Amino acid sequence: MTSTRKRMVVTGRQGQVVQSLLERGQNGLFEIITLGRPELDLSRPDAIDAVLRAAEPDVIVSAAAYTAVDQAETDEEAATVVNGVAAGKIAETAAALGVPMIHLSTDYVFDGSKLAPYVETDPVAPIGAYGRSKLAGERAVTAANPNHVILRTAWVYSPFGKNFLKTMLKLAESRDSLNVVNDQIGNPTSALDIADAVLQVAQNLLSSNAPDLRGIFHMTGTGECNWADFAFEIFALSKAHGGPHAAVTGIPSAQYPTPAKRPANSRLDCTLLNARHGVRLPDWRDSTAQVIGRLLNHNHTDGQQ
């Protein structure tokens, strides 16, 4: 029976989306193969082709990336090799093998000045090194393999790795109140929901050659908020579970300077993904509740050992 399963080869091993794909893809239509360092090192793009070919993919998911947004400001060359050059090499191999590719990108390709949610055709204008490196990847993928889907997402959190939700819970263990930026708005997105979407999109790509299934799509959780709103919701849900919580005070970005400037508006309009692929991610509050319930119940169990 397993011979009928398609091989989904995913770049990366530790990332939130990769961990979520491994979990959500269990016993599904795909056999999920993860490739990471040292076997696959995106900082060495010339070695990518041989490693991907050996994995014999039916579909490739380009999930690994240089994600240190602030560090990229002083290390743009390294970020561009991983996010730009390597993404192009992955796409070249996918094209040579005749397999579709799904590439994860970001809201950071936009400057954040638009007053409404961004649509796929809006002009790109990244304001930082990370955004420039990811835009380079989008362009390299588009040029190398027409059989691609680029999924732009934002504000990713999950039970895995490092993310805003887990940072808030950790800080609340030792603080009664927190100052959180309230003038940046976006769509919190669970990596578990991203994984479900990627699996569906991959299935669509393998079952149809329709051109309108290819191209760039926006994919975030439904609903919007600012970071302070997100933190408030996290703590309200955590408190309901008997977990750590803190009071939240909203502050302007100017009071929390970072090496890389963040887009003030990260909202993405996901209408096209729903129309073409039948994919609509859940409301961010529902997904946040699921992740927090899982984290706190898990931690509670650990504490009983």
Side-chain angles (χ1 to χ4, degrees):
M1 294 294 290
T2 55
S3 61
T4 61
R5 298 174 79 197
K6 299 290 187 180
R7 290 173 70 90
M8 174 180 281
V9 172
V10 185
T11 64
R13 286 210 179 99
Q14 304 303 321
Q16 297 184 73
V17 173
V18 179
Q19 292 294 311
S20 298
L21 274 169
L22 285 169
E23 180 178 302
R24 294 294 221 217
Q26 284 179 358
N27 306 317
L29 294 172
F30 294 99
E31 176 190 4
I32 296 177
I33 311 295
T34 61
L35 296 175
R37 291 184 296 236
E39 295 86 357
L40 182 72
D41 185 348
L42 299 187
S43 66
R44 298 173 56 243
D46 289 344
I48 289 171
D49 182 72
V51 178
L52 288 179
R53 285 177 181 272
E56 299 182 342
D58 292 301
V59 58
I60 296 172
V61 177
S62 171
Y66 183 112
T67 57
V69 174
D70 289 323
Q71 188 177 327
E73 290 300 307
T74 54
D75 200 13
E76 185 166 357
E77 183 176 357
T80 302
V81 169
V82 172
N83 292 342
V85 179
K89 292 291 187 183
I90 294 165
E92 287 175 12
T93 298
L97 294 174
V99 303
M101 172 183 175
I102 298 171
H103 178 68
L104 295 178
S105 192
T106 174
D107 61 287
Y108 278 74
V109 299
F110 299 114
D111 65 11
S113 64
K114 188 181 178 182
L115 299 180
Y118 282 94
V119 296
E120 288 81 356
T121 52
D122 279 329
V124 289
I127 55 176
Y130 170 70
R132 288 191 293 271
S133 73
K134 291 297 288 183
L135 179 56
E138 288 190 7
R139 289 174 169 164
V141 169
T142 300
N145 186 3
N147 192 5
H148 71 265
V149 161
I150 292 169
L151 296 172
R152 292 176 179 150
T153 191
W155 291 27
V156 180
Y157 66 93
S158 72
F160 312 112
K162 295 180 180 179
N163 56 71
F164 180 82
L165 183 151
K166 292 177 71 177
T167 297
M168 290 297 104
L169 292 178
K170 184 69 176 175
L171 288 172
E173 290 177 359
S174 58
R175 300 192 200 177
D176 294 328
S177 64
L178 291 167
N179 294 333
V180 183
V181 168
N182 66 0
D183 58 358
Q184 298 170 19
I185 51 175
N187 315 102
T189 308
S190 167
L192 294 165
D193 295 336
I194 292 174
D196 290 340
V198 166
L199 292 165
Q200 181 60 56
V201 169
Q203 190 178 336
N204 293 348
L205 292 177
L206 290 172
S207 61
S208 171
N209 292 319
D212 66 354
L213 292 178
R214 276 75 183 165
I216 296 175
F217 298 90
H218 291 171
M219 176 192 63
T220 58
T222 300
E224 62 186 59
C225 65
N226 62 50
W227 287 114
D229 294 334
F230 192 14
F232 184 86
E233 185 74 10
I234 289 166
F235 293 140
L237 290 163
S238 178
K239 184 177 181 180
H241 282 274
H245 54 92
V248 177
T249 301
I251 61 169
S253 301
Q255 291 185 26
Y256 187 76
T258 54
K261 186 179 179 183
R262 268 63 174 173
N265 174 27
S266 289
R267 295 173 296 166
L268 301 178
D269 183 317
C270 304
T271 305
L272 189 64
L273 183 68
N274 189 26
R276 300 274 179 86
H277 281 278
V279 170
R280 178 181 170 87
L281 271 56
D283 187 281
W284 69 269
R285 294 174 188 83
D286 296 335
S287 296
T288 299
Q290 289 183 9
V291 170
I292 285 179
R294 172 170 161 170
L295 283 170
L296 294 180
N297 290 335
H298 176 71
N299 290 343
H300 183 70
T301 302
D302 286 349
Q304 298 298 307
Q305 294 177 345

